[in-house]
Amino acid sequence: SQKIEQNSEALNIQEGKTATLTCNYTNYSPAYLQWYRQDPGRGPVFLLLIRENEKEKRKERLKVTFDTTLKQSLFHITASQPADSATYLCALLKKSSGDKLTFGTGTRLAVRP
Amino acid sequence: DAGVTQSPTHLIKTRGQQVTLRCSPKSGHDTVSWYQQALGQGPQFIFQYYEEEERQRGNFPDRFSGHQFPNYSSELNVNALLLGDSALYLCASSLGLGPDTQYFGPGTRLTVL
């Protein structure tokens, strides 16, 4: 069955360091991969989308890589700040139109000052 | 520009009751998707509405039903509530059925006692 795995343990890092979160998937051939941020009790907020033919995407302090051979995406936040503390979700989408987003369980990031 | 709105924000019901949750999409969006998010889990796709029709459905029983109105707003109905239906219910809107970014509302927290 299709599976999307993200680290269930929280990632704790020092302010100013780079946070790296991992999303692995099996039995899936996504055409698109998205990363969302979710704060407690709130809905997810879209951050970045990367297509299967793209290796890397950047937006300000965020960088996403997508390796369809390894079936893995890495999400980096450089120069992390306490305000970056949240849960980060990856979500996959197949190429077919109207396909539903399939989410991972999310990884909680805590950036300490 | 109003984002996605959901009502109510919180709801407490007892087992066996029925509940209706409401969603207004972001201005200009015509597609609404509903997700269930249990504590500590990623959002799980329930169904998607476009042009007032259910276009896709996730692995949820028939107790979960929905509707989309001509103004693109949507309702999620859950009958015969079970304790396991307690969750955050998220509505997301997008434009068309392509892999566009989905914008999430703040969610409705449903507690079933």
Side-chain angles (χ1 to χ4, degrees):
Chain A
S1 63
Q2 297 170 353
K3 209 177 205 181
I4 303 170
E5 292 182 336
Q6 295 184 254
N7 274 354
S8 56
E9 288 184 17
L11 178 64
N12 294 287
I13 63 167
Q14 184 74 40
E15 181 177 8
K17 300 293 187 184
T18 296
T20 299
L21 287 72
T22 305
C23 176
N24 295 299
Y25 58 92
T26 55
N27 297 326
Y28 208 104
S29 296
Y32 307 89
L33 190 147
Q34 301 182 0
W35 282 89
Y36 287 79
R37 168 187 172 137
Q38 187 173 26
D39 292 288
R42 309 288 294 274
V45 174
F46 171 78
L47 296 174
L48 279 168
L49 177 151
I50 187 166
R51 293 173 172 77
E52 62 179 340
N53 60 351
E54 296 176 315
K55 296 294 184 189
E56 184 178 297
K57 202 81 168 278
R58 290 174 185 261
K59 179 183 174 183
E60 298 172 352
R61 295 185 295 111
L62 309 180
K63 185 178 86 170
V64 172
T65 63
F66 193 9
D67 189 327
T68 54
T69 302
L70 290 180
K71 294 187 182 295
Q72 179 182 79
S73 174
L74 299 178
F75 177 77
H76 307 271
I77 305 175
T78 57
S80 60
Q81 304 165 3
D84 294 327
S85 299
T87 295
Y88 291 86
L89 299 155
C90 74
L92 278 61
L93 192 67
K94 287 186 286 191
K95 191 173 298 184
S96 59
S97 129
D99 185 51
K100 63 186 193 312
L101 272 178
T102 302
F103 282 87
T105 54
T107 298
R108 190 164 61 84
L109 171 67
V111 182
R112 58 183 185 275
Chain B
D1 179 20
V4 179
T5 60
Q6 292 186 243
S7 63
T9 53
H10 295 87
L11 204 50
I12 299 175
K13 292 284 188 178
T14 56
R15 281 178 296 176
Q17 285 189 311
Q18 178 263 343
V19 68
T20 297
L21 311 181
R22 296 178 177 80
C23 171
S24 290
K26 180 179 166 63
S27 177
H29 284 183
D30 56 8
T31 303
V32 172
S33 302
W34 286 92
Y35 294 81
Q36 179 195 66
Q37 187 175 25
L39 207 58
Q41 301 297 313
Q44 298 292 311
F45 175 79
I46 303 175
F47 41 54
Q48 180 185 67
Y49 277 85
Y50 173 72
E51 292 187 337
E52 301 180 51
E53 288 188 14
E54 183 182 295
R55 298 291 175 159
Q56 281 206 90
R57 189 178 184 92
N59 190 24
F60 279 80
D62 292 344
R63 298 186 297 108
F64 289 77
S65 63
H67 188 77
Q68 186 179 35
F69 299 93
N71 67 352
Y72 308 122
S73 66
S74 176
E75 287 182 350
L76 163 65
N77 300 292
V78 187
N79 293 322
L81 285 167
L82 304 174
L83 295 179
D85 295 332
S86 295
L88 181 67
Y89 287 85
L90 296 161
C91 166
S93 75
S94 55
L95 184 60
L97 292 175
D100 282 343
T101 302
Q102 295 198 9
Y103 290 81
F104 283 82
T108 294
R109 171 70 63 188
L110 172 64
T111 302
V112 182
L113 301 176

